[in-house]
PDB file of all heavy atoms in Angstrom:
ATOM      1  N   VAL A   1     100.214 -16.050-210.412  1.00  0.00           N
ATOM      2  CA  VAL A   1      98.935 -16.638-210.827  1.00  0.00           C
ATOM      3  C   VAL A   1      97.796 -16.027-210.015  1.00  0.00           C
ATOM      4  O   VAL A   1      96.774 -15.604-210.566  1.00  0.00           O
ATOM      5  CB  VAL A   1      98.953 -18.180-210.675  1.00  0.00           C
ATOM      6  CG1 VAL A   1      97.552 -18.770-210.811  1.00  0.00           C
ATOM      7  CG2 VAL A   1      99.904 -18.811-211.685  1.00  0.00           C
ATOM      8  N   ILE A   2      97.979 -15.975-208.708  1.00  0.00           N
ATOM      9  CA  ILE A   2      96.955 -15.412-207.827  1.00  0.00           C
ATOM     10  C   ILE A   2      96.681 -13.957-208.209  1.00  0.00           C
ATOM     11  O   ILE A   2      95.535 -13.541-208.363  1.00  0.00           O
ATOM     12  CB  ILE A   2      97.387 -15.529-206.353  1.00  0.00           C
ATOM     13  CG1 ILE A   2      97.417 -16.999-205.929  1.00  0.00           C
ATOM     14  CG2 ILE A   2      96.471 -14.717-205.446  1.00  0.00           C
ATOM     15  CD1 ILE A   2      98.106 -17.251-204.591  1.00  0.00           C
ATOM     16  N   HIS A   3      97.747 -13.190-208.393  1.00  0.00           N
ATOM     17  CA  HIS A   3      97.583 -11.774-208.696  1.00  0.00           C
ATOM     18  C   HIS A   3      96.986 -11.557-210.096  1.00  0.00           C
ATOM     19  O   HIS A   3      96.223 -10.614-210.313  1.00  0.00           O
ATOM     20  CB  HIS A   3      98.921 -11.037-208.559  1.00  0.00           C
ATOM     21  CG  HIS A   3      98.754  -9.566-208.439  1.00  0.00           C
ATOM     22  ND1 HIS A   3      98.158  -8.966-207.355  1.00  0.00           N
ATOM     23  CD2 HIS A   3      99.075  -8.570-209.291  1.00  0.00           C
ATOM     24  CE1 HIS A   3      98.124  -7.663-207.538  1.00  0.00           C
ATOM     25  NE2 HIS A   3      98.671  -7.389-208.714  1.00  0.00           N
ATOM     26  N   PHE A   4      97.323 -12.430-211.047  1.00  0.00           N
ATOM     27  CA  PHE A   4      96.747 -12.356-212.397  1.00  0.00           C
ATOM     28  C   PHE A   4      95.231 -12.437-212.327  1.00  0.00           C
ATOM     29  O   PHE A   4      94.523 -11.605-212.900  1.00  0.00           O
ATOM     30  CB  PHE A   4      97.299 -13.499-213.263  1.00  0.00           C
ATOM     31  CG  PHE A   4      96.662 -13.591-214.627  1.00  0.00           C
ATOM     32  CD1 PHE A   4      97.217 -12.928-215.708  1.00  0.00           C
ATOM     33  CD2 PHE A   4      95.508 -14.341-214.834  1.00  0.00           C
ATOM     34  CE1 PHE A   4      96.639 -13.005-216.977  1.00  0.00           C
ATOM     35  CE2 PHE A   4      94.923 -14.425-216.092  1.00  0.00           C
ATOM     36  CZ  PHE A   4      95.485 -13.754-217.164  1.00  0.00           C
ATOM     37  N   PHE A   5      94.704 -13.452-211.645  1.00  0.00           N
ATOM     38  CA  PHE A   5      93.251 -13.628-211.607  1.00  0.00           C
ATOM     39  C   PHE A   5      92.565 -12.548-210.778  1.00  0.00           C
ATOM     40  O   PHE A   5      91.452 -12.138-211.111  1.00  0.00           O
ATOM     41  CB  PHE A   5      92.884 -15.038-211.138  1.00  0.00           C
ATOM     42  CG  PHE A   5      93.067 -16.063-212.213  1.00  0.00           C
ATOM     43  CD1 PHE A   5      94.082 -16.998-212.146  1.00  0.00           C
ATOM     44  CD2 PHE A   5      92.241 -16.075-213.325  1.00  0.00           C
ATOM     45  CE1 PHE A   5      94.259 -17.928-213.143  1.00  0.00           C
ATOM     46  CE2 PHE A   5      92.404 -17.001-214.341  1.00  0.00           C
ATOM     47  CZ  PHE A   5      93.417 -17.932-214.250  1.00  0.00           C
ATOM     48  N   LYS A   6      93.208 -12.068-209.721  1.00  0.00           N
ATOM     49  CA  LYS A   6      92.645 -10.935-208.987  1.00  0.00           C
ATOM     50  C   LYS A   6      92.568  -9.713-209.905  1.00  0.00           C
ATOM     51  O   LYS A   6      91.568  -8.999-209.930  1.00  0.00           O
ATOM     52  CB  LYS A   6      93.500 -10.621-207.748  1.00  0.00           C
ATOM     53  CG  LYS A   6      93.329 -11.636-206.641  1.00  0.00           C
ATOM     54  CD  LYS A   6      94.308 -11.529-205.487  1.00  0.00           C
ATOM     55  CE  LYS A   6      94.849 -10.214-205.112  1.00  0.00           C
ATOM     56  NZ  LYS A   6      95.772 -10.244-203.965  1.00  0.00           N
ATOM     57  N   SER A   7      93.627  -9.482-210.682  1.00  0.00           N
ATOM     58  CA  SER A   7      93.671  -8.334-211.596  1.00  0.00           C
ATOM     59  C   SER A   7      92.671  -8.459-212.731  1.00  0.00           C
ATOM     60  O   SER A   7      92.106  -7.460-213.193  1.00  0.00           O
ATOM     61  CB  SER A   7      95.089  -8.178-212.173  1.00  0.00           C
ATOM     62  OG  SER A   7      96.024  -7.966-211.144  1.00  0.00           O
ATOM     63  N   ALA A   8      92.431  -9.683-213.196  1.00  0.00           N
ATOM     64  CA  ALA A   8      91.525  -9.910-214.327  1.00  0.00           C
ATOM     65  C   ALA A   8      90.069  -9.604-213.989  1.00  0.00           C
ATOM     66  O   ALA A   8      89.231  -9.521-214.883  1.00  0.00           O
ATOM     67  CB  ALA A   8      91.654 -11.343-214.833  1.00  0.00           C
ATOM     68  N   THR A   9      89.771  -9.412-212.701  1.00  0.00           N
ATOM     69  CA  THR A   9      88.404  -9.068-212.304  1.00  0.00           C
ATOM     70  C   THR A   9      88.240  -7.573-212.054  1.00  0.00           C
ATOM     71  O   THR A   9      87.170  -7.133-211.645  1.00  0.00           O
ATOM     72  CB  THR A   9      87.980  -9.827-211.030  1.00  0.00           C
ATOM     73  OG1 THR A   9      88.822  -9.436-209.943  1.00  0.00           O
ATOM     74  CG2 THR A   9      88.028 -11.332-211.236  1.00  0.00           C
ATOM     75  N   LYS A  10      89.294  -6.784-212.290  1.00  0.00           N
ATOM     76  CA  LYS A  10      89.250  -5.337-212.021  1.00  0.00           C
ATOM     77  C   LYS A  10      89.151  -4.529-213.321  1.00  0.00           C
ATOM     78  O   LYS A  10      89.768  -4.865-214.321  1.00  0.00           O
ATOM     79  CB  LYS A  10      90.515  -4.885-211.277  1.00  0.00           C
ATOM     80  CG  LYS A  10      90.822  -5.661-210.008  1.00  0.00           C
ATOM     81  CD  LYS A  10      89.825  -5.364-208.919  1.00  0.00           C
ATOM     82  CE  LYS A  10      90.236  -5.962-207.595  1.00  0.00           C
ATOM     83  NZ  LYS A  10      89.841  -7.358-207.446  1.00  0.00           N
ATOM     84  N   MET A  11      88.393  -3.424-213.243  1.00  0.00           N
ATOM     85  CA  MET A  11      88.263  -2.550-214.405  1.00  0.00           C
ATOM     86  C   MET A  11      89.435  -1.572-214.468  1.00  0.00           C
ATOM     87  O   MET A  11      90.150  -1.383-213.484  1.00  0.00           O
ATOM     88  CB  MET A  11      86.946  -1.771-214.348  1.00  0.00           C
ATOM     89  CG  MET A  11      86.884  -0.731-213.234  1.00  0.00           C
ATOM     90  SD  MET A  11      85.349   0.204-213.209  1.00  0.00           S
ATOM     91  CE  MET A  11      85.650   1.348-214.546  1.00  0.00           C
ATOM     92  N   PHE A  12      89.611  -0.956-215.624  1.00  0.00           N
ATOM     93  CA  PHE A  12      90.603   0.098-215.807  1.00  0.00           C
ATOM     94  C   PHE A  12      89.973   1.395-215.299  1.00  0.00           C
ATOM     95  O   PHE A  12      89.369   2.137-216.050  1.00  0.00           O
ATOM     96  CB  PHE A  12      90.990   0.236-217.282  1.00  0.00           C
ATOM     97  CG  PHE A  12      91.728  -0.960-217.805  1.00  0.00           C
ATOM     98  CD1 PHE A  12      91.043  -2.017-218.400  1.00  0.00           C
ATOM     99  CD2 PHE A  12      93.103  -1.029-217.708  1.00  0.00           C
ATOM    100  CE1 PHE A  12      91.725  -3.119-218.885  1.00  0.00           C
ATOM    101  CE2 PHE A  12      93.790  -2.129-218.196  1.00  0.00           C
ATOM    102  CZ  PHE A  12      93.101  -3.170-218.782  1.00  0.00           C
ATOM    103  N   TYR A  13      90.076   1.641-214.015  1.00  0.00           N
ATOM    104  CA  TYR A  13      89.403   2.773-213.388  1.00  0.00           C
ATOM    105  C   TYR A  13      90.095   4.081-213.749  1.00  0.00           C
ATOM    106  O   TYR A  13      91.284   4.102-214.034  1.00  0.00           O
ATOM    107  CB  TYR A  13      89.386   2.600-211.865  1.00  0.00           C
ATOM    108  CG  TYR A  13      88.501   3.578-211.152  1.00  0.00           C
ATOM    109  CD1 TYR A  13      87.123   3.421-211.181  1.00  0.00           C
ATOM    110  CD2 TYR A  13      89.032   4.664-210.484  1.00  0.00           C
ATOM    111  CE1 TYR A  13      86.293   4.310-210.540  1.00  0.00           C
ATOM    112  CE2 TYR A  13      88.211   5.569-209.841  1.00  0.00           C
ATOM    113  CZ  TYR A  13      86.840   5.391-209.866  1.00  0.00           C
ATOM    114  OH  TYR A  13      86.033   6.285-209.236  1.00  0.00           O
ATOM    115  N   GLY A  14      89.352   5.156-213.711  1.00  0.00           N
ATOM    116  CA  GLY A  14      89.940   6.469-213.959  1.00  0.00           C
ATOM    117  C   GLY A  14      89.667   6.951-215.358  1.00  0.00           C
ATOM    118  O   GLY A  14      88.533   6.951-215.811  1.00  0.00           O
ATOM    119  N   GLY A  15      90.736   7.327-216.059  1.00  0.00           N
ATOM    120  CA  GLY A  15      90.624   7.941-217.379  1.00  0.00           C
ATOM    121  C   GLY A  15      89.756   7.190-218.366  1.00  0.00           C
ATOM    122  O   GLY A  15      88.832   7.743-218.941  1.00  0.00           O
ATOM    123  N   SER A  16      90.016   5.908-218.588  1.00  0.00           N
ATOM    124  CA  SER A  16      89.288   5.197-219.637  1.00  0.00           C
ATOM    125  C   SER A  16      87.978   4.597-219.145  1.00  0.00           C
ATOM    126  O   SER A  16      87.011   4.516-219.889  1.00  0.00           O
ATOM    127  CB  SER A  16      90.153   4.075-220.226  1.00  0.00           C
ATOM    128  OG  SER A  16      90.277   2.998-219.307  1.00  0.00           O
ATOM    129  N   GLY A  17      87.935   4.159-217.896  1.00  0.00           N
ATOM    130  CA  GLY A  17      86.727   3.516-217.382  1.00  0.00           C
ATOM    131  C   GLY A  17      86.394   2.225-218.105  1.00  0.00           C
ATOM    132  O   GLY A  17      85.260   1.759-218.079  1.00  0.00           O
ATOM    133  N   ALA A  18      87.376   1.625-218.774  1.00  0.00           N
ATOM    134  CA  ALA A  18      87.158   0.399-219.537  1.00  0.00           C
ATOM    135  C   ALA A  18      86.874  -0.776-218.598  1.00  0.00           C
ATOM    136  O   ALA A  18      87.315  -0.795-217.460  1.00  0.00           O
ATOM    137  CB  ALA A  18      88.385   0.105-220.398  1.00  0.00           C
ATOM    138  N   PRO A  19      86.132  -1.766-219.075  1.00  0.00           N
ATOM    139  CA  PRO A  19      85.840  -2.945-218.260  1.00  0.00           C
ATOM    140  C   PRO A  19      87.110  -3.764-218.025  1.00  0.00           C
ATOM    141  O   PRO A  19      88.168  -3.464-218.589  1.00  0.00           O
ATOM    142  CB  PRO A  19      84.834  -3.717-219.111  1.00  0.00           C
ATOM    143  CG  PRO A  19      85.090  -3.271-220.502  1.00  0.00           C
ATOM    144  CD  PRO A  19      85.554  -1.850-220.409  1.00  0.00           C
ATOM    145  N   PRO A  20      87.027  -4.812-217.201  1.00  0.00           N
ATOM    146  CA  PRO A  20      88.203  -5.670-216.981  1.00  0.00           C
ATOM    147  C   PRO A  20      88.781  -6.183-218.295  1.00  0.00           C
ATOM    148  O   PRO A  20      88.082  -6.246-219.317  1.00  0.00           O
ATOM    149  CB  PRO A  20      87.644  -6.816-216.134  1.00  0.00           C
ATOM    150  CG  PRO A  20      86.504  -6.192-215.394  1.00  0.00           C
ATOM    151  CD  PRO A  20      85.890  -5.233-216.393  1.00  0.00           C
ATOM    152  N   PRO A  21      90.053  -6.555-218.290  1.00  0.00           N
ATOM    153  CA  PRO A  21      90.729  -6.947-219.534  1.00  0.00           C
ATOM    154  C   PRO A  21      90.191  -8.250-220.122  1.00  0.00           C
ATOM    155  O   PRO A  21      89.760  -9.146-219.397  1.00  0.00           O
ATOM    156  CB  PRO A  21      92.184  -7.117-219.101  1.00  0.00           C
ATOM    157  CG  PRO A  21      92.114  -7.443-217.652  1.00  0.00           C
ATOM    158  CD  PRO A  21      90.939  -6.677-217.122  1.00  0.00           C
ATOM    159  N   LEU A  22      90.235  -8.313-221.433  1.00  0.00           N
ATOM    160  CA  LEU A  22      89.886  -9.525-222.155  1.00  0.00           C
ATOM    161  C   LEU A  22      90.978 -10.563-221.918  1.00  0.00           C
ATOM    162  O   LEU A  22      92.166 -10.239-221.920  1.00  0.00           O
ATOM    163  CB  LEU A  22      89.765  -9.218-223.649  1.00  0.00           C
ATOM    164  CG  LEU A  22      89.294 -10.342-224.559  1.00  0.00           C
ATOM    165  CD1 LEU A  22      87.862 -10.746-224.225  1.00  0.00           C
ATOM    166  CD2 LEU A  22      89.383  -9.913-226.012  1.00  0.00           C
ATOM    167  N   CYS A  23      90.579 -11.798-221.699  1.00  0.00           N
ATOM    168  CA  CYS A  23      91.528 -12.904-221.520  1.00  0.00           C
ATOM    169  C   CYS A  23      91.282 -13.939-222.612  1.00  0.00           C
ATOM    170  O   CYS A  23      90.258 -13.900-223.304  1.00  0.00           O
ATOM    171  CB  CYS A  23      91.358 -13.549-220.143  1.00  0.00           C
ATOM    172  SG  CYS A  23      91.736 -12.463-218.756  1.00  0.00           S
ATOM    173  N   PHE A  24      92.215 -14.858-222.754  1.00  0.00           N
ATOM    174  CA  PHE A  24      92.104 -15.913-223.760  1.00  0.00           C
ATOM    175  C   PHE A  24      92.472 -17.249-223.143  1.00  0.00           C
ATOM    176  O   PHE A  24      93.457 -17.343-222.407  1.00  0.00           O
ATOM    177  CB  PHE A  24      93.022 -15.629-224.949  1.00  0.00           C
ATOM    178  CG  PHE A  24      92.683 -14.366-225.676  1.00  0.00           C
ATOM    179  CD1 PHE A  24      93.266 -13.164-225.314  1.00  0.00           C
ATOM    180  CD2 PHE A  24      91.756 -14.370-226.708  1.00  0.00           C
ATOM    181  CE1 PHE A  24      92.945 -11.982-225.960  1.00  0.00           C
ATOM    182  CE2 PHE A  24      91.423 -13.196-227.366  1.00  0.00           C
ATOM    183  CZ  PHE A  24      92.015 -12.000-226.993  1.00  0.00           C
ATOM    184  N   MET A  25      91.686 -18.292-223.450  1.00  0.00           N
ATOM    185  CA  MET A  25      91.979 -19.658-223.013  1.00  0.00           C
ATOM    186  C   MET A  25      92.515 -20.436-224.199  1.00  0.00           C
ATOM    187  O   MET A  25      91.917 -20.433-225.278  1.00  0.00           O
ATOM    188  CB  MET A  25      90.717 -20.358-222.505  1.00  0.00           C
ATOM    189  CG  MET A  25      90.345 -20.024-221.101  1.00  0.00           C
ATOM    190  SD  MET A  25      88.830 -20.877-220.532  1.00  0.00           S
ATOM    191  CE  MET A  25      89.218 -22.598-220.780  1.00  0.00           C
ATOM    192  N   THR A  26      93.637 -21.103-223.978  1.00  0.00           N
ATOM    193  CA  THR A  26      94.231 -21.957-225.001  1.00  0.00           C
ATOM    194  C   THR A  26      94.621 -23.274-224.338  1.00  0.00           C
ATOM    195  O   THR A  26      95.181 -23.267-223.245  1.00  0.00           O
ATOM    196  CB  THR A  26      95.483 -21.296-225.608  1.00  0.00           C
ATOM    197  OG1 THR A  26      95.119 -20.027-226.154  1.00  0.00           O
ATOM    198  CG2 THR A  26      96.100 -22.159-226.699  1.00  0.00           C
ATOM    199  N   GLY A  27      94.320 -24.373-225.002  1.00  0.00           N
ATOM    200  CA  GLY A  27      94.750 -25.653-224.465  1.00  0.00           C
ATOM    201  C   GLY A  27      93.853 -26.796-224.865  1.00  0.00           C
ATOM    202  O   GLY A  27      92.801 -26.617-225.465  1.00  0.00           O
ATOM    203  N   MET A  28      94.269 -27.979-224.522  1.00  0.00           N
ATOM    204  CA  MET A  28      93.557 -29.226-224.767  1.00  0.00           C
ATOM    205  C   MET A  28      93.466 -29.569-226.247  1.00  0.00           C
ATOM    206  O   MET A  28      92.671 -30.403-226.640  1.00  0.00           O
ATOM    207  CB  MET A  28      92.142 -29.222-224.166  1.00  0.00           C
ATOM    208  CG  MET A  28      92.063 -28.847-222.714  1.00  0.00           C
ATOM    209  SD  MET A  28      92.960 -30.034-221.717  1.00  0.00           S
ATOM    210  CE  MET A  28      92.849 -29.257-220.130  1.00  0.00           C
ATOM    211  N   GLY A  29      94.249 -28.919-227.092  1.00  0.00           N
ATOM    212  CA  GLY A  29      94.266 -29.229-228.511  1.00  0.00           C
ATOM    213  C   GLY A  29      93.494 -28.224-229.346  1.00  0.00           C
ATOM    214  O   GLY A  29      92.745 -27.402-228.840  1.00  0.00           O
ATOM    215  N   THR A  30      93.673 -28.303-230.626  1.00  0.00           N
ATOM    216  CA  THR A  30      93.131 -27.344-231.582  1.00  0.00           C
ATOM    217  C   THR A  30      91.623 -27.156-231.486  1.00  0.00           C
ATOM    218  O   THR A  30      91.125 -26.041-231.599  1.00  0.00           O
ATOM    219  CB  THR A  30      93.491 -27.786-233.015  1.00  0.00           C
ATOM    220  OG1 THR A  30      94.906 -27.887-233.111  1.00  0.00           O
ATOM    221  CG2 THR A  30      92.979 -26.799-234.049  1.00  0.00           C
ATOM    222  N   TYR A  31      90.870 -28.227-231.271  1.00  0.00           N
ATOM    223  CA  TYR A  31      89.415 -28.133-231.314  1.00  0.00           C
ATOM    224  C   TYR A  31      88.772 -27.969-229.944  1.00  0.00           C
ATOM    225  O   TYR A  31      87.551 -28.056-229.823  1.00  0.00           O
ATOM    226  CB  TYR A  31      88.823 -29.335-232.045  1.00  0.00           C
ATOM    227  CG  TYR A  31      89.314 -29.395-233.474  1.00  0.00           C
ATOM    228  CD1 TYR A  31      90.166 -30.399-233.899  1.00  0.00           C
ATOM    229  CD2 TYR A  31      88.952 -28.406-234.382  1.00  0.00           C
ATOM    230  CE1 TYR A  31      90.639 -30.425-235.204  1.00  0.00           C
ATOM    231  CE2 TYR A  31      89.416 -28.426-235.688  1.00  0.00           C
ATOM    232  CZ  TYR A  31      90.257 -29.442-236.088  1.00  0.00           C
ATOM    233  OH  TYR A  31      90.726 -29.460-237.374  1.00  0.00           O
ATOM    234  N   GLN A  32      89.547 -27.714-228.912  1.00  0.00           N
ATOM    235  CA  GLN A  32      88.977 -27.429-227.595  1.00  0.00           C
ATOM    236  C   GLN A  32      89.013 -25.924-227.352  1.00  0.00           C
ATOM    237  O   GLN A  32      88.038 -25.238-227.562  1.00  0.00           O
ATOM    238  CB  GLN A  32      89.724 -28.184-226.487  1.00  0.00           C
ATOM    239  CG  GLN A  32      89.426 -29.655-226.453  1.00  0.00           C
ATOM    240  CD  GLN A  32      88.017 -29.948-225.931  1.00  0.00           C
ATOM    241  OE1 GLN A  32      87.218 -29.066-225.644  1.00  0.00           O
ATOM    242  NE2 GLN A  32      87.709 -31.221-225.834  1.00  0.00           N
ATOM    243  N   PHE A  33      90.163 -25.416-226.905  1.00  0.00           N
ATOM    244  CA  PHE A  33      90.292 -23.990-226.596  1.00  0.00           C
ATOM    245  C   PHE A  33      91.468 -23.454-227.392  1.00  0.00           C
ATOM    246  O   PHE A  33      92.614 -23.735-227.070  1.00  0.00           O
ATOM    247  CB  PHE A  33      90.502 -23.774-225.096  1.00  0.00           C
ATOM    248  CG  PHE A  33      89.484 -24.504-224.264  1.00  0.00           C
ATOM    249  CD1 PHE A  33      89.825 -25.616-223.529  1.00  0.00           C
ATOM    250  CD2 PHE A  33      88.164 -24.083-224.248  1.00  0.00           C
ATOM    251  CE1 PHE A  33      88.895 -26.300-222.783  1.00  0.00           C
ATOM    252  CE2 PHE A  33      87.210 -24.753-223.498  1.00  0.00           C
ATOM    253  CZ  PHE A  33      87.580 -25.867-222.764  1.00  0.00           C
ATOM    254  N   ASN A  34      91.175 -22.712-228.425  1.00  0.00           N
ATOM    255  CA  ASN A  34      92.200 -22.208-229.325  1.00  0.00           C
ATOM    256  C   ASN A  34      92.142 -20.682-229.304  1.00  0.00           C
ATOM    257  O   ASN A  34      91.530 -20.061-230.149  1.00  0.00           O
ATOM    258  CB  ASN A  34      91.963 -22.762-230.732  1.00  0.00           C
ATOM    259  CG  ASN A  34      93.121 -22.524-231.652  1.00  0.00           C
ATOM    260  OD1 ASN A  34      93.966 -21.662-231.390  1.00  0.00           O
ATOM    261  ND2 ASN A  34      93.174 -23.254-232.739  1.00  0.00           N
ATOM    262  N   ARG A  35      92.752 -20.125-228.263  1.00  0.00           N
ATOM    263  CA  ARG A  35      92.721 -18.681-228.024  1.00  0.00           C
ATOM    264  C   ARG A  35      91.272 -18.190-227.951  1.00  0.00           C
ATOM    265  O   ARG A  35      90.877 -17.200-228.571  1.00  0.00           O
ATOM    266  CB  ARG A  35      93.524 -17.935-229.075  1.00  0.00           C
ATOM    267  CG  ARG A  35      93.948 -16.544-228.625  1.00  0.00           C
ATOM    268  CD  ARG A  35      95.242 -16.081-229.226  1.00  0.00           C
ATOM    269  NE  ARG A  35      95.445 -14.665-229.037  1.00  0.00           N
ATOM    270  CZ  ARG A  35      95.772 -14.093-227.871  1.00  0.00           C
ATOM    271  NH1 ARG A  35      95.935 -14.829-226.813  1.00  0.00           N
ATOM    272  NH2 ARG A  35      95.928 -12.794-227.771  1.00  0.00           N
TER     273      ARG A  35
END
């Protein structure tokens, strides 16, 4: 868990130079956070 969130704040450095990865929140039922 700790390493996931540390990694989610880092960009894809080097070849692609892409920004940090897209994440998805799911939970609390269909009408709260649905991916």
Side-chain angles (χ1 to χ4, degrees):
V1 168
I2 293 168
H3 198 67
F4 174 92
F5 283 110
K6 287 170 31 179
S7 300
T9 63
K10 307 290 189 276
M11 69 178 282
F12 293 91
Y13 191 75
S16 73
L22 185 65
C23 296
F24 298 91
M25 279 180 57
T26 302
M28 308 298 174
T30 302
Y31 299 112
Q32 286 288 3
F33 310 108
N34 192 341
R35 201 150 166 74

